[in-house]
Amino acid sequence: MKTSDFFYNLPEELIAQTPLEKRDNSRLLVLGKQSGEIEHKHFFDVLSYLNKGDCLVLNNTRVLPARIYGTRVDTGAIVEFVLLKQRSANIWECLAGPGKKAKEGYNFKFSDKLSATVREVLPDGNRILEFFPDGEFFACLDEVGQMPLPPYIKEKLNDKERYQTVYSKELGSAAAPTAGLHFTPEILEKLKDKGVKIAYVTLHVGLGTFRPVKVEDVTQHKMHSEHYSVTKETADLINSTKANGGRVICVGTTSCRTVESVATKYGEIKECSGDTEIFIYPGYEFKCMDGLITNFHLPESTLIMLVSAFAGYDNVMNAYKTAVDEKYRFFSFGDAMLIL
C-alpha cells in the first residue's frame, strides 16, 4: 500500500486545541469492524459496549514534563530541549533547537537546581546530555519542565494533569497515550462493577509517534523504538480472558502495540519487558486484540495505518470522512472511536 492511500482532508478548525471540561463528555464514534456500521455516541456510553468477562488494557505510562529551556552559560543563548530517552541515571537523549547552539561540551543552566552539559551529538542530530540536579532529578524537572504537547496544539495547557490519564503511574513518556484521556475514575469503577477486568501495561511513548511517514511504499518505513513492560498479573488477566471467551479491548494504539509485540515474540502474553519497533499496517494478523478504543489520528500516519489493519481500510477511511462531515474533534485532545 502507498502512504498517500491514508491521506484525508481535515479542516484545521477540527483539530482540538484544548481538552473538554469533562473528560468523558467527548464524542464517541462506534465502528463495527466487520460491517463498517457507524454509530454516534458519547464516551460515557462506552459502558454499554463492554461486557462482563471482557478485559480492558490500559497503558499506565506517565508523561514527563519533558520540554525544558536552557540558558547557555557562556553566551546566554536560549535553547529548547525535549527529553526523549533516559540512557542512565542522569544521562538523557534529547532533541535540541536551535542545534547549532548546543554543541558538544556546551554547558546549560535550567534553574538554580538544574544544569547540564552536552556530552555527545548523535548522527541524527539528537544530543546526549548529562544533568546535574541539586536534589532528585525528576523533582527538579517538574519545577522547570513543560508538557511536550504535539506541534499541532497551539494553545497553552493550563492544567498539566489534563495531558495525563487518570491512571498514569510509570513516569517515562514524551507524549500521552491519548485514547486514555477520556476515562474518569467513575467510568473505571462502573466497568469493574460490571465485571470488566482492568489490566495495565506500560509503554513509554516517544515523540517518534508524531514522525511522518516519508516513504511512499508503506513497507519501507522504519518504526521508532519504544520501551514496554508487562506484569504477571496483566498477563494472567489477558490469558484468562482469552481462555474464557472474553474480548481483549486495548485502549490506544500503544496498548495494542504492547500486547501484539509480546504475542508476536512469545506466541502468548507473558510477564516481560523490552523494546518494540512493531509496525502494524493492513495485512497484519492480530494475535491478541479483539477491540480498540482510539482517537482520530493524523493523515498518512502509522497510527491510522494500524487502525486500518484492524478494522479494514475502507471502513476506517469512511469512518474518518464521516467524522470530518460530522465535525468531530481530532487528534490528542479530540474525540474517540470504539472499534468492535
Side-chain angles (χ1 to χ4, degrees):
M1 298 192 82
K2 295 180 179 178
T3 299
S4 55
D5 291 336
F6 296 91
F7 179 80
Y8 65 93
N9 284 304
L10 180 68
E12 194 171 335
E13 63 267 20
L14 295 186
I15 300 174
Q17 293 297 316
T18 55
L20 294 180
E21 184 179 347
K22 293 185 177 179
R23 290 176 182 261
D24 61 354
N25 276 12
S26 58
R27 295 168 75 187
L28 180 69
L29 186 150
V30 183
L31 174 64
K33 68 175 178 143
Q34 300 297 337
S35 66
E37 183 180 331
I38 290 171
E39 297 177 83
H40 300 291
K41 300 289 183 176
H42 285 88
F43 193 79
F44 48 73
D45 294 317
V46 76
L47 290 162
S48 61
Y49 289 91
L50 302 185
N51 304 324
K52 180 178 180 180
D54 288 341
C55 181
L56 197 65
V57 183
L58 305 169
N59 181 5
N60 66 2
T61 188
R62 186 165 174 82
V63 185
L64 289 163
R67 178 172 279 118
I68 54 178
Y69 294 88
T71 303
R72 212 170 96 187
V73 172
D74 57 346
T75 65
I78 304 295
V79 176
E80 177 190 82
F81 295 93
V82 179
L83 279 63
L84 296 179
K85 185 180 293 185
Q86 189 173 22
R87 294 290 191 89
S88 59
N90 289 324
I91 307 290
W92 285 79
E93 181 178 342
C94 306
L95 292 174
K100 62 184 178 183
K101 295 183 179 179
K103 295 181 180 178
E104 188 174 322
Y106 286 4
N107 298 307
F108 289 88
K109 193 173 181 64
F110 300 94
S111 71
D112 291 340
K113 296 182 178 180
L114 189 63
S115 60
T117 298
V118 179
R119 294 301 185 200
E120 186 182 351
V121 178
L122 300 177
D124 62 3
N126 290 353
R127 268 61 176 168
I128 301 296
L129 265 65
E130 180 177 4
F131 286 92
F132 304 98
D134 180 7
E136 204 271 323
F137 172 75
F138 290 112
C140 296
L141 181 65
D142 198 49
E143 288 183 10
V144 299
Q146 299 177 20
M147 283 298 169
L149 295 178
Y152 48 74
I153 293 179
K154 313 298 183 188
E155 296 281 332
K156 190 177 187 322
L157 181 64
N158 294 321
D159 179 3
K160 285 198 284 192
E161 280 303 307
R162 291 309 306 273
Y163 196 56
Q164 305 279 15
T165 62
V166 297
Y167 47 80
S168 65
K169 180 181 178 184
E170 303 296 337
L171 201 59
S173 272
T178 55
L181 296 178
H182 307 280
F183 281 89
T184 64
E186 292 76 20
I187 282 185
L188 291 171
E189 281 304 312
K190 287 178 181 177
L191 286 168
K192 289 178 189 174
D193 290 345
K194 192 174 181 179
V196 175
K197 304 171 192 174
I198 307 292
Y200 294 98
V201 297
T202 303
L203 182 139
H204 291 317
V205 189
L207 288 181
T209 192
F210 302 115
R211 185 182 299 158
V213 179
K214 294 183 178 178
V215 291
E216 183 60 359
D217 180 355
V218 166
T219 63
Q220 298 304 304
H221 176 68
K222 180 166 173 29
M223 283 292 286
H224 57 287
S225 177
E226 294 170 317
H227 187 74
Y228 69 86
S229 60
V230 177
T231 64
K232 184 179 186 304
E233 180 185 10
T234 287
D236 290 347
L237 278 172
I238 293 174
N239 290 330
S240 65
T241 298
K242 299 294 272 189
N244 294 326
R247 299 174 299 177
V248 173
I249 298 160
C250 292
V251 176
T253 56
T254 59
S255 298
C256 166
R257 293 180 72 237
T258 303
V259 299
E260 291 297 320
S261 294
V262 175
T264 298
K265 185 173 183 178
Y266 299 106
E268 61 176 340
I269 304 300
K270 60 183 286 186
E271 180 182 9
C272 61
S273 63
D275 295 316
T276 180
E277 296 177 348
I278 192 170
F279 181 19
I280 297 174
Y281 54 89
Y284 176 85
E285 291 188 14
F286 286 82
K287 300 161 185 66
C288 180
M289 184 174 77
D290 303 300
L292 177 66
I293 296 172
T294 186
N295 277 21
F296 292 95
H297 305 294
L298 276 72
E300 301 184 334
S301 64
T302 60
L303 307 179
I304 193 173
M305 293 174 189
L306 183 155
V307 177
S308 297
F310 183 62
Y313 172 80
D314 291 336
N315 289 344
V316 169
M317 298 312 288
N318 179 60
Y320 269 67
K321 183 182 182 305
T322 301
V324 170
D325 292 342
E326 295 293 327
K327 294 186 166 38
Y328 273 67
R329 302 167 80 245
F330 277 67
F331 306 162
S332 297
F333 288 138
D335 296 317
M337 180 189 294
L338 169 63
I339 305 171
L340 290 173

